[in-house]
């Protein structure tokens, strides 16, 4: 806003000189879309004081001129900037967007007066600012827009028109839209260069013409939209802005607060008392900032006293405690009032926040709990401060509260879940020098870890110990450790706990280990022998409150009291594999029968290859993979790895080379279906953030059900899949980063003072096709409430495996410093306006430190280059993709497959036609693709009302479907909207009436297709097919049928056939 207010002072850049002739309206101005930001960038210097080489690259459009000579120190700084940010953990560079240069926003400078009322918006508009005017011919013009002093008209200059004609009467305005939501924007060739958050359109006249504008910042766009909406809503009422600003619910509440604190009743109070009162109302404010605001107010009034009047108190509170982005949202959803009533709140919760089954009483309850004024609670309205409190409350948290409970099916085999696992749980420092510490187990178990490790060695006095064998100075008594485990095993989760036992004891002390475990764990210890009649592990539900021991086991068919087994020493195994004598046999150790008998469902076996495992491995046996080995297998045999993990448990542990206890990227192995990826809990950072965030879902119980494509017996999935995953409907994630609150200075930052330059990085983690990251602009010198106002869009091909990591960093020449982060699975996101509670580097929630965002998830991308409406339909039909079926080479089978072609095509047509019809309605209503149907109906209802508030259409129910019929003549624009609405109803009718029929056709084809009986599944493992050439066509047939069926079946309306096809 600072640059807007100063536009009149820049005649060369913003306005024509007074004596210059007005240029023709059609003459395009050569200024680029980024010119204002570049000019602003040249007017300021960064806090580091570096201003030599590299400034032109840092600030787009900047120029140092020919006199700028290279400086060695500056060159070193440039080299430092080129190093990767420590927050980035995306590996695939092909998924990165074009390098966005770091830009600077000046929309929220500390010295700037905040927008806290409608009068502030009107004052700004009357002062005027430069906006870009977008024409249908794709030309863009710089114009200076102002609001008349009498608030009756909007004017712009220069213009070839007469001054009385270069205006728009407020009374002619029909609606004001924020964003690129008109035909002019959609068809403009430069639309991709225009920020969605800076665009606005004024719809006017009986034919709904549009005046399309682009502001220099999202803040400025919001001011014009809010101000114009306020004027339009009150165009028939006399406006007294100064009077209205003092009669708002907020002002009335602040007066009562002041009067209650003014014990003398003189209408003034000491500055110290006022500061304490504002701190009490808003604990996040710094005392120094409050005092500075009072000094600014007193100086502006040329006062010498430090005593504060009632008006000064209200003014200071409003400027300090009003978040402009929340104010703009409030006036938008309240239809330009400065408070919300119960109906406003109900529409907001339904249309924006995605809350279902909301009632007026529920809204009144929210108002009673969050409104600060007694009058508001009694009359049922929520003012700006109460609304802010509500948005900051746990009810508006980004994490879906449903996922804080067990929401997944817990009756599936154990191998179908990701399991929260710890590596070397007894360590709290690095692998070499770190001592063993009981707190390692306490921390892991309280974080719902379900797989912990115990390295047991011989100790003194015949008592086994747990220790870091590289540092024997602080061993833990084995008995004490398992007593703690017994106490906390089910503290955070009631589902089974796996003890990975690293046995380095003599036979004598092994027996002591067994005695302690039996005595302390008692019946919690699961020792039942696995049933040979089963083909899968028991479920977590069946194993509730059980402790499972993973380890080596003696052969059951040999009646021996002790015997030799291969050592489970991970470090020794790594050394052996890296040595020249790789063929050397692994080390053998002695194992007693008593300890062997404790191992039931998690018998450790050596991995050789998938062919051997699929033939010979029993379902209760599991393999452990080193990080390097698992990475190699994941790259070379991704499909086989997924298929293997459908039945067997896999454990992946970090490389022995990670002596600093750094962590591997768990996502790489989750993508291949590996259930137990062991993490060094003692080492915070991006990898641990992913791990912690992932296991927040499903009630934080430590078990997360894997995607169906990784569980179904016959399904095709590879972690290296590029693009759409067969059988999975991709989703589009829309994220708008609005603002930040109370960002702390990074710990250890070298810069002096409290000034930071924050920006936000959004990372998407999942399968490689989904991994990407984007970042916002940098907001300079603002930690209290930096405004970003930037929107991003990501296509997610496998939503069940995707996570979003929000990272806030301090933009610095020396190196970007970490401020905070939050990681959340896509499945746990709540739509709408949400606050994200940021976590520190070690994972702790930081009090009052949040990001304010808007989240929407759709199944159709709303971005891309715009097309003319007449062409988009034809192009859409031409580009429509139908399911293709693979030939198996067996005529009988192929003939059955062909029966599915037509119903699958029908399903695709129904889905696409319905989506296209909805998109058309949204476009004609001036809404973005992420808008809900509820928002469309609300916009449509306001559009179909005449000037005298009488409806121009009537609702008619035909065969139980709602149609709209005109009551008289209508403008062409409204006819188009009605036609689009009718088409949407027709497509909905087709969908409802024919979906079940289409679904039944596909089910019939499914039943006619090849399938094996459960007995055949038990008798013949997948590995046996490879040995039997005659069975290969059958296997290929099953895979191809599943591929074809799964590729489309989830998109069939009305059918619940997405999972369990082969079960």
């Amino acid at each position: 806003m600072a640059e807007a207010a100063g536009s009149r002072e820049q005649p060369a850049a913003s306005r024509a000189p007074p004596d210059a002739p007005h240029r023709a309206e059609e003459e395009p101005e050569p200024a680029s879309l980024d010119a204002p930001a570049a000019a602003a960038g040249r007017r300021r210097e960064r806090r580091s004081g570096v201003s030599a080489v590299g400034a032109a690259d840092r600030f787009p459009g900047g120029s140092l001129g020919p006199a700028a000579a290279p400086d060695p120190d500056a060159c070193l700084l440039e080299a430092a900037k080129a190093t990767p940010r420590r927050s980035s953990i995306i590996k695939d560079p092909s998924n990165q967007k074009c390098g966005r240069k770091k830009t600077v926003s000046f929309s929220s400078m500390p010295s700037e007066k905040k927008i806290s009322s409608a009068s502030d918006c009107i004052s700004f508009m009357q002062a005027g600012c430069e906006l870009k005017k977008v024409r249908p011919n794709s030309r863009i013009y710089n114009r200076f827009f102002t609001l008349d002093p009498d608030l009756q008209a909007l004017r712009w200059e220069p213009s070839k028109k007469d001054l009385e004609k270069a205006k728009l009467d407020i009374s002619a305005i029909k609606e004001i839209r924020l964003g690129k939501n008109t035909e002019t924007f959609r068809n403009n060739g430069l639309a991709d260069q225009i920020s969605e958050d800076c665009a606005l359109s004024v719809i006017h006249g009986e034919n709904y013409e549009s005046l399309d504008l682009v502001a220099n910042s999202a803040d400025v766009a919001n001011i014009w939209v809010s101000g114009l909406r306020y004027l339009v809503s009150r165009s028939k009422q006399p406006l007294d802005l100064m009077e209205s600003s003092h009669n708002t619910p907020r002002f009335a509440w602040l007066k009562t607060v002041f009067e209650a604190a003014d014990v003398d009743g003189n209408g003034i109070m000491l500055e110290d008392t006022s500061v304490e009162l504002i701190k009490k109302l808003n604990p996040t404010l710094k005392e120094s900032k409050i005092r500075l605001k009072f000094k600014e107010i007193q100086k502006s009034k040329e006062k010498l006293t430090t005593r504060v009047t009632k008006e000064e108190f209200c003014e200071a509170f409003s400027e300090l405690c009003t978040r402009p982005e929340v104010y703009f949202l409030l006036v938008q959803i309240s239809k330009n009032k400065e408070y919300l009533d119960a109906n406003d709140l109900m529409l907001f919760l339904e249309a924006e926040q995605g809350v279902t089954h909301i009632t007026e009483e529920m809204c009144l309850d929210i108002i009673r709990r969050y409104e600060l004024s007694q009058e508001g609670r009694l009359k049922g309205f929520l003012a700006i401060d109460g609304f802010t409190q509500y948005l900051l409350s746990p009810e508006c948290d980004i994490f879906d509260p449903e996922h804080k409970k067990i929401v997944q099916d817990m009756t599936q085999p154990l191998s179908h879940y990701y399991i929260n696992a710890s590596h070397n749980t007894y360590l709290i420092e690095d692998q070499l020098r770190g001592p063993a510490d009981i707190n390692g187990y306490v921390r892991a178990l309280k974080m719902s870890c379900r797989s912990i490790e115990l390295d047991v060695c011989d100790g003194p006095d015949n008592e086994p110990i747990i220790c870091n064998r590289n540092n024997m100075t602080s061993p833990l008594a084995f008995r004490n450790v398992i007593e703690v485990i017994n106490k906390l095993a089910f503290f955070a989760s009631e589902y089974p706990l796996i003890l990975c036992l690293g046995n380095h004891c003599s036979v004598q002390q092994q027996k002591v280990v067994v005695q302690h475990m039996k005595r302390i764990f008692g019946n919690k210890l699961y020792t039942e022998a696995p049933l040979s009649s089963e083909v899968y592990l028991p479920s977590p539900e069946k194993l509730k409150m059980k402790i499972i021991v993973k380890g080596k086991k003696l052969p059951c068919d040999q009646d021996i009291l002790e015997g030799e087994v291969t050592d489970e020493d991970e470090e020794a195994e790594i050394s052996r594999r890296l040595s020249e004598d790789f063929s050397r046999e692994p080390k053998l150790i002695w194992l007693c029968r008593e300890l062997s008998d404790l191992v039931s469902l998690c018998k450790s076996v050596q991995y050789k290859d998938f062919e051997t495992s699929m033939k010979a491995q029993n379902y209760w046996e599991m393999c452990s993979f080193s990080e390097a080995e698992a990475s190699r297998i994941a790259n070379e045999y991704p499909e086989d790895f997924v298929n293997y993990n459908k039945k067997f448990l896999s454990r992946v542990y970090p490389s022995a080379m990670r002596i600093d206890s750094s962590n591997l990227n768990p996502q790489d192995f989750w993508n291949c279906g590996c259930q137990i990826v062991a993490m060094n809990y003692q080492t915070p950072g991006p990898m641990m953030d992913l791990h912690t965030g992932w296991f927040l879902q499903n009630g934080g119980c430590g078990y997360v059900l894997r995607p169906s494509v990784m569980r179904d017996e016959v399904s095709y999935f590879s972690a290296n899949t590029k693009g759409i995953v067969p059988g999975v409907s991709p989703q589009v994630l829309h994220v708008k980063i609005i603002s930040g609150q109370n960002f702390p200075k990074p710990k250890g930052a070298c810069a002096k003072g409290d000034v930071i330059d924050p920006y936000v990085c959004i990372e998407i983690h999942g399968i490689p096709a989904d991994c990407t990251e984007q970042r916002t602009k940098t907001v300079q010198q603002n930690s209290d409430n930096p405004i970003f106002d930037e929107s991003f869009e990501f296509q997610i091909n496998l939503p069940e495996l995707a996570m979003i990591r929000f990272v806030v960093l301090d933009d610095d020449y020396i190196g970007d410093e970490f401020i905070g982060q939050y990681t959340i699975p896509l499945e746990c996101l709540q739509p709408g306006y949400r606050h994200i509670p940021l976590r520190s580097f070690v994972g702790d929630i930081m009090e009052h430190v949040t990001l304010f965002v808007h989240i929407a998830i759709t199944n159709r991308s709303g971005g891309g280059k715009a097309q003319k409406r007449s062409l988009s339909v034809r192009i859409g039909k031409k580009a429509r993709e139908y399911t293709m079926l693979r030939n198996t080479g067996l005529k009988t089978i192929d003939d059955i497959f062909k029966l599915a072609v037509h119903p699958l095509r029908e399903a695709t047509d129904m889905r696409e036609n319905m989506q296209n019809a909805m998109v058309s309605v949204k476009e004609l209503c001036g809404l973005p693709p992420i808008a809900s149907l509820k928002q469309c109906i609300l916009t449509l209802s306001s559009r179909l009302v005449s000037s005298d508030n009488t409806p121009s259409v009537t609702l008619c129910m035909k065969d139980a479907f709602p149609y709209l019929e005109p009551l008289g003549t209508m403008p062409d624009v409204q006819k188009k909207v009605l036609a689009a609405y009718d088409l949407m109803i027709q497509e909905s009718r087709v969908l409802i009436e024919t979906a079940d029929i289409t679904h039944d056709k596909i089910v019939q084809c499914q039943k006619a297709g090849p399938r094996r009986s459960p007995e055949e599944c038990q008798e013949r493992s997948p590995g046996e097919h490879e040995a039997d050439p005659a069975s290969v066509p059958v296997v290929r047939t099953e895979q191809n049928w599943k591929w074809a069926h799964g590729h489309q079946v989830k998109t069939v309306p009305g059918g619940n056939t997405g999972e369990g096809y082969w079960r």
Side-chain angles (χ1 to χ4, degrees):
M1 287 185 283
E3 71 272 25
S7 295
R8 289 185 181 273
E9 309 303 324
Q10 303 170 35
S14 303
R15 295 188 64 193
D19 57 344
H22 293 311
R23 281 176 289 180
E25 184 76 1
E26 285 76 11
E27 180 185 353
E29 298 186 7
S32 70
L33 291 171
D34 294 329
R42 291 193 293 270
R43 289 196 298 268
R44 298 193 59 89
E45 294 182 357
R46 292 178 56 81
R47 60 185 167 87
S48 63
V50 178
S51 59
V53 177
D57 293 332
R58 195 103 171 148
F59 303 105
S63 175
L64 296 172
D71 177 68
D73 293 336
C75 292
L76 287 173
L77 289 173
E78 285 299 303
K81 287 191 300 179
T83 58
R85 290 184 300 100
R86 67 185 184 188
S87 73
S88 177
I89 55 179
I90 304 295
K91 292 184 177 180
D92 188 356
S94 65
N95 284 339
Q96 304 312 304
K97 303 293 181 185
C98 298
R100 181 197 296 240
K101 294 184 178 180
K102 293 184 179 179
T103 57
V104 183
S105 165
F106 299 97
S107 61
S108 301
M109 297 301 294
S111 61
E112 181 185 321
K113 178 179 172 64
K114 286 186 178 180
I115 298 294
S116 59
S117 66
S119 60
D120 292 338
C121 294
I122 302 302
S123 298
F124 180 92
M125 293 160 63
Q126 287 177 323
C129 74
E130 184 181 272
L131 300 173
K132 291 178 175 64
K133 187 177 178 183
V134 183
R135 297 296 298 275
N137 58 8
S138 296
R139 293 183 177 181
I140 297 178
Y141 308 92
N142 289 332
R143 296 289 179 261
F144 194 87
F145 282 76
T146 57
L147 178 66
D148 276 355
D150 61 1
L151 313 180
Q152 297 303 310
L154 184 65
R155 298 183 185 272
W156 59 91
E157 56 181 3
S159 172
K160 70 174 184 178
K161 299 177 181 178
D162 182 84
L163 288 178
E164 285 303 310
K165 293 185 178 179
K167 72 171 188 176
L168 179 61
D169 290 336
I170 298 298
S171 59
I173 297 177
K174 298 292 186 183
E175 59 184 87
I176 301 95
R177 301 175 184 173
L178 183 62
K180 299 182 290 187
N181 295 313
T182 63
E183 287 294 320
T184 299
F185 277 123
R186 283 192 284 268
N187 297 336
N188 193 290
L190 298 175
D192 289 343
Q193 302 176 36
I194 298 172
S195 168
E196 179 80 22
D197 306 303
C198 296
L200 65 143
S201 300
V202 182
I203 312 302
H204 60 93
E206 293 302 320
N207 292 323
Y208 284 75
E209 301 171 62
S210 66
L211 173 61
D212 300 288
L213 306 170
V214 180
N216 291 338
S217 72
D219 267 0
V220 175
N222 278 318
I223 290 172
W224 281 95
V225 169
S226 299
L228 288 173
R229 284 176 174 169
Y230 180 87
L231 292 173
V232 170
S233 66
R234 286 159 172 76
S235 59
K236 297 181 181 179
Q237 305 171 12
L239 288 170
D240 187 342
L241 292 171
M242 291 305 297
E243 183 66 25
S244 65
S245 66
H246 287 255
N247 285 334
T248 61
R250 178 194 227 179
F251 193 82
W253 165 66
L254 286 174
K255 284 195 297 184
T256 60
V257 171
F258 183 91
E259 291 165 357
D262 179 18
V263 291
D264 296 330
N266 298 326
I268 59 173
M269 65 173 61
L270 293 173
E271 183 180 300
D272 290 345
T273 307
S274 299
V275 170
E276 291 176 8
L277 187 54
I278 291 180
K279 276 283 292 179
K280 182 180 179 181
L281 295 173
N282 190 341
T284 64
L285 286 175
K286 299 174 184 175
E287 181 178 330
S288 59
K289 188 173 181 180
I290 303 173
R291 292 189 182 278
L292 180 61
K293 178 55 66 177
F294 279 126
K295 284 182 173 59
E296 287 179 5
I297 293 173
Q298 290 160 0
K299 184 178 180 181
S300 68
K301 296 180 179 180
E302 299 181 351
K303 285 180 59 177
L304 298 178
T305 178
T306 58
R307 292 183 179 270
V308 178
T309 66
K310 186 186 302 181
E311 290 72 19
E312 290 168 350
F313 173 81
C314 295
E315 181 181 353
F317 181 89
S318 296
E319 291 196 23
L320 288 168
C321 301
T322 301
R323 287 171 47 188
E325 72 280 17
V326 176
Y327 173 77
F328 293 139
L329 176 61
L330 181 138
V331 297
Q332 173 189 337
I333 61 182
S334 67
K335 301 180 182 64
N336 309 298
K337 303 189 297 289
E338 299 211 345
Y339 61 89
L340 299 176
D341 57 29
N343 288 330
D344 296 329
L345 187 57
M346 186 185 303
L347 290 175
F348 171 70
L349 294 175
E350 288 180 340
E352 283 290 355
Q353 305 295 88
V355 180
T356 57
H357 310 300
I358 193 76
T359 64
E360 184 177 358
E361 182 55 39
M362 293 167 65
C363 294
L364 289 172
D365 179 63
I366 291 173
I367 291 172
R368 286 190 289 267
R369 284 186 286 120
Y370 292 102
E371 173 54 31
L372 300 180
S373 71
Q374 184 176 2
E375 180 188 11
R377 292 193 293 269
L378 292 174
K379 294 183 177 179
F381 63 76
L382 196 62
I384 177 67
D385 300 292
F387 185 51
T388 303
Q389 292 295 319
Y390 171 65
L391 290 176
L392 283 166
S393 72
E395 293 183 53
C396 289
D397 192 89
I398 193 172
F399 194 92
D400 188 346
E402 284 298 309
H403 288 272
K404 294 181 179 180
K405 302 178 289 187
I406 306 296
V407 294
Q408 297 175 351
D409 179 10
M410 301 302 291
T411 62
Q412 302 215 18
L414 207 62
S415 58
H416 287 182
Y417 297 85
Y418 296 113
I419 302 173
N420 191 343
S422 165
H423 176 247
N424 287 352
T425 314
Y426 48 85
L427 291 181
I428 59 171
E429 295 179 19
D430 62 70
Q431 304 291 313
L432 286 181
R433 298 178 300 277
D437 194 309
I438 195 71
N439 288 317
Y441 291 98
V442 174
R443 174 184 56 202
L445 291 171
K446 286 187 174 181
M447 293 177 66
S448 298
C449 185
R450 298 291 84 195
S451 173
I452 59 178
E453 298 183 9
L454 301 92
D455 282 340
V456 192
C457 302
D458 283 350
D461 303 324
N462 201 33
E463 279 294 335
I465 58 173
I466 290 177
C467 64
N468 181 355
R469 285 180 297 148
N470 296 312
N471 180 3
M472 303 287 287
T473 57
S474 57
L476 302 173
F478 175 77
R479 178 185 60 222
N480 295 341
V481 171
I482 62 172
E483 283 177 348
V484 169
I485 293 174
N486 182 60
K487 181 179 178 181
L488 297 175
F490 305 105
F491 172 84
S493 173
E494 59 185 354
Y495 291 101
L497 175 66
I498 300 173
L499 302 185
C500 298
L501 197 63
N503 175 27
H504 311 290
C505 293
S506 62
V507 170
Q508 181 181 2
Q509 293 209 14
Q510 287 177 32
K511 295 180 180 179
V512 178
V513 167
V514 174
Q515 292 170 5
H516 287 326
M517 293 179 75
K518 286 185 174 181
R519 177 179 59 83
I520 294 172
F521 291 147
N523 59 7
K524 295 178 185 175
L525 208 58
Y526 187 89
T527 58
E528 295 179 21
L531 300 175
S532 57
S533 58
E534 298 288 339
V535 293
Y536 283 104
L537 288 165
S539 69
E541 185 67 28
K542 186 176 180 180
L543 295 171
K544 266 185 180 180
M545 308 297 289
K546 292 297 181 182
I547 295 174
I548 301 168
V549 178
K550 169 197 166 291
K552 289 292 182 178
K553 192 170 179 65
L554 295 173
C556 296
D557 55 354
Q558 297 181 17
D559 187 15
I560 54 176
L561 296 179
E562 56 188 54
E564 287 186 318
V565 294
T566 54
D567 192 3
E568 277 285 282
D569 190 334
E570 295 172 2
E571 291 79 5
E573 176 67 12
I574 293 292
S575 301
R576 184 182 72 85
R577 289 179 175 271
L578 293 178
S579 66
E580 295 181 1
D581 187 16
F582 178 74
S583 60
R584 188 180 60 185
E585 290 297 320
K587 177 184 174 182
L588 298 178
I589 61 169
W590 283 91
L591 178 67
C592 70
R593 172 61 67 181
E594 291 88 343
L595 186 56
S596 171
D597 288 344
L598 291 186
V599 178
S600 173
L601 296 178
C602 293
K603 175 186 175 182
S604 296
V605 296
Q606 293 288 331
Y607 168 80
K608 183 178 180 182
D609 54 57
F610 286 126
E611 182 178 356
T612 302
S613 296
M614 298 302 279
K615 286 180 180 179
Q617 187 171 333
N618 295 306
Y619 72 87
W620 61 83
E621 297 174 336
M622 62 177 291
C623 296
S624 292
F625 301 87
S626 68
E627 178 185 347
E629 185 179 26
S631 296
R632 177 186 62 81
I633 295 171
N635 289 327
E636 295 179 4
Y637 312 104
E639 299 95 338
D640 292 336
F641 213 172
V642 171
N643 287 330
Y644 172 83
N645 287 322
K646 291 175 183 177
K647 184 176 181 181
F648 307 109
L649 287 176
S650 291
R651 172 177 166 269
V652 179
Y653 55 87
S655 167
M657 307 302 290
R658 296 183 180 273
I659 57 176
D660 60 348
S661 292
S662 60
N663 275 307
L664 48 75
N665 187 344
Q667 192 79 53
D668 293 342
F669 307 104
W670 291 338
N671 290 344
C672 295
C674 296
Q675 300 88 349
I676 303 175
V677 182
M679 303 292 288
N680 290 312
Y681 268 58
Q682 69 271 32
T683 307
M687 305 306 161
M688 198 63 201
D689 293 342
L690 292 180
H691 181 270
T692 304
W694 181 248
F695 285 103
L696 288 176
Q697 60 184 312
N698 200 29
C701 71
Y703 285 82
V704 174
L705 189 64
R706 295 187 305 170
S708 58
V709 292
M710 292 184 173
R711 308 192 312 264
D712 292 342
E713 182 187 347
V714 180
S715 63
Y716 172 84
F717 176 74
S718 168
N720 296 331
T721 297
K722 300 295 182 183
I724 294 177
V725 177
V728 179
S729 296
Q731 293 180 346
V732 180
L733 171 66
H734 307 263
V735 179
K736 182 177 182 179
I737 305 294
I738 302 172
S739 64
Q741 290 74 48
N742 309 307
F743 291 162
K745 182 181 176 182
K747 288 188 177 180
C750 55
K752 295 181 180 180
D754 294 328
V755 177
I756 64 171
D757 300 340
Y759 70 92
V760 182
C761 186
I762 308 167
E763 301 171 351
I764 305 296
H765 299 270
I767 61 174
D770 291 341
C771 290
T772 185
E773 66 178 38
Q774 294 192 45
R775 55 155 292 173
T776 68
K777 61 179 177 280
T778 296
V779 176
Q780 196 174 45
Q781 300 181 22
N782 192 334
S783 60
D784 296 329
N785 190 38
I787 305 294
F788 300 101
D789 262 325
E790 287 195 70
S791 300
F792 305 91
E793 187 177 285
F794 307 92
Q795 175 160 316
I796 311 296
N797 295 290
L798 187 54
E800 290 177 273
L801 208 54
M803 275 192 292
I804 302 91
R805 184 170 182 258
F806 300 89
V807 190
V808 181
L809 297 152
D810 181 16
D811 194 346
D812 191 271
Y813 278 109
I814 305 302
D816 297 346
E817 297 287 343
F818 177 89
I819 295 175
Q821 68 83 32
Y822 187 80
T823 307
I824 180 173
L826 181 73
E827 299 276 297
C828 298
L829 285 176
Q830 286 208 97
Y833 290 92
R834 304 289 172 183
H835 277 92
I836 300 174
L838 294 181
R839 294 178 178 265
S840 67
F841 186 73
V842 296
D844 297 328
I845 293 288
M846 296 187 286
E847 191 175 16
H848 304 308
V849 182
T850 57
L851 265 181
F852 188 41
V853 301
H854 182 269
I855 301 292
I857 299 176
T858 65
N859 60 357
R860 188 186 183 97
S861 176
K865 188 174 181 180
Q867 300 282 351
K868 289 187 178 180
R869 189 75 192 115
S870 58
L871 295 177
S872 62
V873 176
R874 294 201 300 268
I875 291 173
K877 288 186 176 179
K878 183 178 180 181
R880 184 170 295 180
E881 294 182 358
Y882 294 100
T883 299
M884 302 298 293
L885 301 180
R886 297 172 175 173
N887 289 325
T888 65
L890 301 176
K891 185 178 183 304
T892 305
I893 301 301
D894 288 339
D895 288 343
I896 296 175
F897 277 13
K898 289 176 182 177
L899 297 175
V901 172
H902 185 65
L904 289 175
R905 191 181 186 92
E906 287 180 348
T908 301
D909 285 338
M910 280 190 289
R911 180 193 63 193
E912 294 295 321
N913 291 342
M914 186 67 219
Q915 287 181 342
N916 288 336
M918 291 185 67
V919 167
S920 296
V921 172
K922 291 177 184 180
E923 288 181 355
L924 290 170
C925 287
L927 295 173
I930 63 173
S932 66
L933 194 56
K934 179 93 174 180
Q935 291 168 312
C936 289
I937 300 301
L938 288 172
T939 303
L940 197 60
S941 62
S942 63
R943 182 86 60 85
L944 298 175
V945 175
S946 60
S947 56
D948 57 354
N949 288 329
T950 58
S952 57
V953 297
T954 181
L955 181 67
C956 298
M957 299 299 293
K958 297 179 182 178
D959 300 327
F961 288 91
Y963 287 89
L964 295 176
E965 297 206 355
L967 293 176
T969 58
M970 301 181 68
D972 290 341
V973 173
Q974 291 192 358
K975 289 179 181 178
K976 287 183 180 179
V977 174
L978 277 187
Y981 173 82
D982 286 344
L983 179 61
M984 183 179 71
I985 296 299
Q986 290 171 18
E987 295 299 340
S988 301
R989 182 171 186 169
V990 171
L991 185 68
I992 292 170
E993 292 177 349
T994 62
D996 288 339
I997 298 172
T998 303
H999 172 247
D1000 291 341
K1001 291 179 183 177
I1002 295 178
V1003 170
Q1004 292 302 318
C1005 296
Q1006 170 187 334
K1007 291 179 179 178
R1011 51 187 311 178
R1012 294 178 297 167
S1013 66
E1015 291 77 14
E1016 290 175 315
C1017 293
Q1018 294 176 20
E1019 294 172 3
R1020 197 169 202 175
S1021 68
E1024 290 180 275
H1025 291 305
E1026 299 178 9
D1028 182 7
S1031 66
V1032 171
V1034 177
V1035 176
R1036 188 181 298 124
T1037 297
E1038 290 175 335
Q1039 292 174 342
N1040 290 347
W1041 172 257
K1042 179 62 180 181
W1043 179 88
H1045 182 268
H1047 188 68
Q1048 191 65 34
V1049 72
K1050 280 198 171 183
T1051 66
V1052 176
N1056 183 20
T1057 57
E1059 297 183 8
Y1061 171 62
W1062 290 100
R1063 288 193 297 277

